[in-house]
Amino acid sequence: MTPRLNVLVLPGGTDQSYRPFRATQGTALRMYPFTWSIRAKFGSAVDVRQVRYRVYGWNGGQASPLPYARAALDSITRDNPDVPVVLIGHSMGGRVAAHLGADPRVTGLLALAPWWQHRDWRRIRRGAHVRAIHGDADTLTSARRTAEGIAELRDDGYDA
């Protein structure tokens, strides 16, 4: 059965680190409930995959997770062509989602406490649906910046 939706789950990371990304580290573990609950609820109607990066850090201009996230996007759309893609990203994964959001295959994204730097939300293509959730007690990523990004997208006519 061809799924009706592709979902990529993008875990967080850190600013600078070349430590290998592990499926058992906290940032990955934090996202498994999303992946598993989507599978449990929708079964084969949704192809959901949790992305694994090579290293744990963004690493400045290297944007280390992006090649692995793009490869996952290519893989899921190759397996399920013409099926829309939604991204769910937490922290650094929210930043990855904003960068992948420029791709026309991406129809929506959910950013959970996104680590949006340098107005990353401006990379998201027009027409994509954008949702963000961010607690105001967060001390690691900026709830204010998330609110700024959503407000700017909404002011520019996005469904945000």
Side-chain angles (χ1 to χ4, degrees), residues 2-151:
T2 300
R4 293 177 299 172
L5 185 66
N6 291 317
V7 176
L8 289 179
V9 177
L10 303 156
T14 192
D15 188 19
Q16 294 287 323
S17 177
Y18 293 98
R19 194 177 55 184
F21 187 88
R22 303 247 187 262
T24 56
Q25 69 193 43
T27 57
L29 294 172
R30 200 171 290 122
M31 298 309 288
Y32 292 136
F34 290 91
T35 303
W36 297 334
S37 65
I38 292 168
R39 281 189 189 132
K41 180 162 179 72
F42 298 103
S44 63
V46 176
D47 186 351
V48 59
R49 302 178 189 181
Q50 187 158 324
V51 177
R52 292 175 75 178
Y53 316 123
R54 187 179 66 78
V55 297
Y56 183 59
W58 182 267
N59 301 315
Q62 292 177 6
S64 296
L66 286 180
Y68 303 93
R70 283 194 186 105
L73 178 61
D74 290 342
S75 175
I76 203 167
T77 57
R78 183 175 44 252
D79 293 347
N80 306 303
D82 303 318
V83 175
V85 178
V86 171
L87 309 172
I88 301 173
H90 173 251
S91 187
M92 183 184 76
R95 187 175 195 191
V96 172
H99 285 250
L100 288 183
D103 192 295
R105 297 172 291 183
V106 175
T107 61
L109 63 96
L110 171 60
L112 306 169
W115 178 52
W116 283 345
Q117 300 292 309
H118 315 294
R119 295 180 162 44
D120 291 305
W121 60 83
R122 291 181 177 170
R123 296 176 177 275
I124 301 167
R125 72 172 186 81
R126 189 166 300 283
H129 304 276
V130 182
R131 299 293 180 268
I133 299 170
H134 207 135
D136 58 10
D138 188 338
T139 59
L140 297 177
T141 58
S142 172
R144 180 195 51 76
R145 193 173 295 136
T146 299
E148 177 187 349
I150 292 298

